[in-house]
Amino acid sequence: NAGVMQNPRHLVRRRGQEARLRCSPMKGHSHVYWYRQLPEEGLKFMVYLQKENIIDESGMPKERFSAEFPKEGPSILRIQQVVRGDSAAYFCASSPRGRRPDTQYFGPGTRLTVL
Amino acid sequence: TQLLEQSPQFLSIQEGENLTVYCNSSSVFSSLQWYRQEPGEGPVLLVTVVTGGEVKKLKRLTFQFGDARKDSSLHITAAQTGDTGLYLCAGATSGGGADGLTFGKGTHLIIQP
């Protein structure tokens, strides 16, 4: 049973370019969460999605960041016009129900480097 | 804003010793999860505790959730070099607010041979 999959594992972008990060949840999971881990910082919640719905985006920066989880295909975290401060590890997690208490399973992450 | 404070931040001990790491908050959590993260990888779930006072054991690891569901501890007995890693606690809130987990900054554990 495959775990949460993320790609690419490493992504390098120049300032001003766009970054697209993909996440495929575990089989049978319909709830996806995105987190960001800055160097020397803990993981910070960004957004929680179900299929075709954004449930909670309270942790998302107001500008340049967006997320989607279409009916078919992976969840996408999109960062427009990247800046150096966006360099971080971005993790996706999935859960089967999304109701508390629940357990989230994490992918291996995408390391974004902005030059 | 909910915060989870983990202590100690860094811990280096000899193989065979016992250790305890702590996760504390002023907020109540509906559940708390412990993860272990290796460099360059994502967090791997160790355990979820739900009930106040709950104790769960995973081989040499013992996890406890505080009675008031505000704190938790992880005790490792007879540590092995393979236990080296970053240990993270994460809390889920009950009612309103974000559904995302609130993470502590972690305890960097090094077990020396």
Side-chain angles (χ1 to χ4, degrees):
Chain A
N1 190 14
V4 178
M5 300 179 69
Q6 291 188 248
N7 68 83
R9 292 292 306 272
H10 301 273
L11 182 61
V12 179
R13 285 287 179 265
R14 296 191 179 279
R15 281 179 296 171
Q17 292 184 320
E18 178 179 288
R20 281 184 177 242
L21 288 61
R22 297 176 198 79
C23 169
S24 296
M26 286 179 70
K27 186 177 181 180
H29 288 192
S30 56
H31 302 268
V32 165
Y33 310 77
W34 285 93
Y35 293 81
R36 177 166 63 176
Q37 188 175 39
L38 293 167
E40 306 306 322
E41 293 288 330
L43 282 88
K44 301 293 185 187
F45 166 74
M46 299 179 74
V47 62
Y48 162 39
L49 310 102
Q50 297 175 23
K51 287 283 188 181
E52 299 184 281
N53 282 305
I54 296 175
I55 307 303
D56 183 355
E57 55 182 348
S58 58
M60 285 276 272
K62 297 295 182 219
E63 298 178 347
R64 302 187 298 107
F65 285 71
S66 62
E68 62 177 11
F69 190 14
K71 187 176 181 180
E72 300 291 337
S75 175
I76 306 288
L77 178 67
R78 181 184 178 201
I79 311 173
Q80 295 177 289
Q81 299 176 327
V82 295
V83 300
R84 289 216 173 112
D86 296 333
S87 294
Y90 291 83
F91 293 96
C92 167
S94 72
S95 68
R97 298 189 307 268
R99 294 197 305 272
R100 290 177 292 271
D102 209 341
T103 295
Q104 296 180 20
Y105 298 87
F106 282 79
T110 294
R111 271 90 189 150
L112 172 65
T113 301
V114 179
L115 302 177
Chain B
T1 302
Q2 295 126 355
L3 291 174
L4 274 171
E5 301 287 340
Q6 287 192 245
S7 61
Q9 188 176 356
F10 297 94
L11 182 59
S12 179
I13 63 172
Q14 296 294 124
E15 194 171 27
E17 294 184 1
N18 302 332
L19 67 106
T20 302
V21 298
Y22 300 93
C23 177
N24 295 297
S25 177
S26 57
S27 301
V28 175
F29 293 98
S30 61
S31 68
L32 196 137
Q33 301 173 24
W34 284 92
Y35 293 85
R36 180 177 152 187
Q37 186 178 19
E38 302 287 346
E41 298 295 330
V44 175
L45 180 70
L46 297 174
V47 77
T48 300
V49 286
V50 177
T51 306
E54 182 177 5
V55 176
K56 281 192 174 179
K57 293 193 174 184
L58 185 67
K59 298 183 180 178
R60 293 176 294 101
L61 278 61
T62 302
F63 304 85
Q64 184 162 9
F65 201 12
D67 291 340
R69 291 185 287 129
K70 292 182 178 181
D71 54 84
S72 182
S73 63
L74 159 60
H75 182 80
I76 301 178
T77 303
Q80 300 176 357
T81 55
D83 295 328
T84 293
L86 175 65
Y87 289 81
L88 299 165
C89 66
T93 57
S94 58
D99 288 277
L101 296 173
T102 298
F103 275 85
K105 290 189 177 182
T107 292
H108 295 264
L109 178 62
I110 297 174
I111 308 301
Q112 300 182 18

